[in-house]
Amino acid sequence: MNKQKLYTTFSFFKTAAALSALCVLVLLLMEYLGHPGFLLPGLALISLGFIILSFRIVQLIYRLQLDRVHDTNQVESMQWIYQQFQPKVAFPPMRVIAGSPDFFKVIVEHCIELQPKVIVEAGSGVSSVVISEWLRSVGSDARHYALDHLEKYAKETEEKVVNSNSKILYAPLKNYNLSGSNWQWYDIEELANVDSIDLLIIDGPPEDIQKEARFPALPLLFEKLSDKAVIILDDTNRPDEQSIIKRWKATHQLKEKYLFTEKGTTVLYK
Ligand SMILES: C[S@@+](CC[C@H](N)C(=O)[O-])C[C@H]1O[C@@H](n2cnc3c(N)ncnc32)[C@H](O)[C@@H]1O
């Protein structure tokens, strides 16, 4: 796709160069035939067109180089994950809407370091299967809950989760009033008896639900976090997630660490 885009841009660039050469010839001819006044403005317009086009090409090349870095990171992250444990089930498709391997690597690294006893995920999917398989492979008795507001995806993920300590909870969005504003977030009724959350992973709900869609996670779950709790928020390259972090930090004492992953992952510590 990207390769195609690059070729299309280059062929567009060649066509633009040929057309511009033709225009310059016409302008010179007009000058020669006694129609002055067109040459300089014409040349200025053509130059401006080329500057814009060159800028666009530089942008595209930068994007492609960044994609290459991310692609390599995804392969290396999967390799690292398979070195840590052998999953018994095939992972569902990754990236795009689903999480990316470098995000899963961050999750597994924190599972290893933290040895969490209670894990809660906002937004189920591949990450739930990864966590469930890691817990199974190390024989952990930790409890793992993953919320999903869409029954279809909750069911799909549930089918992939074979560890009985992992629960995929269908949790339709519910209205909440938080500090005088209305928000929609997962119905957390099913988490009523869950507390001392050591690892909270926030990768949902999707951004099209509302502005700063993941903001309610902390106000609604902060009281349930353990003292050593770690929060992992994905998609923090987006302005919405950046302002969510600012709002959380304004009301809670949190330390923040940004990690260079495909979508930008931020780890927050109490
Ligand atoms: C960012 S995704 C959650 C990703 C999950 N943590 C993972 O690693 O795959 C957020 C939500 O999008 C929804 N979703 C998953 N796959 C989808 C798809 N193919 N199209 C639309 N929505 C999808 C699910 O409801 C999911 O909870």
Side-chain angles (χ1 to χ4, degrees), residues 3 18 29 33 41 47 64 66 101 103 134-135 145 155 167 173 183 196 214 216 219 242 260 262:
K3 207 171 168 188
L29 192 66
L33 293 177
S47 309
L64 284 170
L66 193 64
F103 169 57
W134 179 78
L135 291 173
Y145 306 90
K155 276 193 178 143
K167 303 264 180 270
L173 297 176
W183 294 88
S196 300
R214 296 175 183 182
Q242 282 303 320
F260 176 77
E262 184 161 50

Side-chain angles (χ1 to χ4, degrees), residues 5-52:
K5 239 192 210 169
L6 191 66
Y7 285 150
T8 312
T9 309
F10 277 140
S11 63
F12 182 69
F13 197 81
K14 277 191 272 179
T15 313
L19 279 175
S20 306
L22 194 68
C23 287
V24 172
L25 278 179
V26 172
L27 288 169
L28 285 172
L29 192 66
M30 284 172 73
E31 187 83 4
Y32 178 74
L33 293 177
H35 300 285
F38 289 99
L39 189 59
L40 275 181
L43 286 180
L45 263 182
I46 292 169
S47 309
L48 183 69
F50 265 88
I51 290 170
I52 294 171

Side-chain angles (χ1 to χ4, degrees), residues 92 103 137 140 192 194 201 203 215 240 253 260:
F103 169 57
S137 74
S140 168
V194 175
I201 298 153
D203 192 22
F215 169 74
D240 261 22
Q253 287 269 325
F260 176 77

Side-chain angles (χ1 to χ4, degrees), residues 92-100 103-104 107 121-130 146-154 156-157 186 201-208 214 234-235 238 263:
M94 302 175 184
R95 299 176 91 177
V96 196
I97 287 188
S100 298
F103 169 57
F104 306 141
I107 293 176
E121 279 186 276
S124 80
V126 196
S127 53
S128 320
V129 185
V130 172
L147 305 166
D148 208 303
H149 67 299
L150 297 176
E151 199 169 11
K152 172 181 174 345
Y153 294 113
E156 273 180 22
T157 306
Y186 304 101
I201 298 153
I202 307 163
D203 192 22
E207 61 177 337
D208 53 7
R214 296 175 183 182
D234 202 28
D235 298 298
R238 301 191 303 213
K263 299 177 183 181

Side-chain angles (χ1 to χ4, degrees), residues 138-208:
V138 296
S140 168
D141 60 358
R143 287 172 300 140
H144 167 212
Y145 306 90
L147 305 166
D148 208 303
H149 67 299
L150 297 176
E151 199 169 11
K152 172 181 174 345
Y153 294 113
K155 276 193 178 143
E156 273 180 22
T157 306
E158 197 169 28
E159 280 164 19
K160 288 277 183 181
V161 167
V162 294
N163 177 358
S164 61
N165 285 345
S166 294
K167 303 264 180 270
I168 310 301
L169 305 173
Y170 167 49
L173 297 176
K174 187 182 142 177
N175 287 323
Y176 292 94
N177 190 296
L178 301 169
S179 320
S181 302
N182 287 324
W183 294 88
Q184 285 211 307
W185 212 67
Y186 304 101
D187 185 348
I188 53 168
E189 180 68 32
E190 298 257 23
L191 296 180
N193 295 323
V194 175
D195 53 18
S196 300
I197 300 169
D198 292 321
L199 187 56
L200 174 61
I201 298 153
I202 307 163
D203 192 22
E207 61 177 337
D208 53 7

Side-chain angles (χ1 to χ4, degrees), residues 1-11 56-57 59-72 95-96 262:
M1 182 64 160
N2 284 333
K3 207 171 168 188
Q4 253 175 9
K5 239 192 210 169
L6 191 66
Y7 285 150
T8 312
T9 309
F10 277 140
S11 63
R56 177 75 193 106
I57 289 185
Q59 264 187 328
L60 195 63
I61 290 173
Y62 171 76
R63 182 71 232 167
L64 284 170
Q65 283 176 340
L66 193 64
D67 282 353
R68 268 183 64 183
V69 171
H70 283 310
D71 288 347
T72 309
R95 299 176 91 177
V96 196
E262 184 161 50

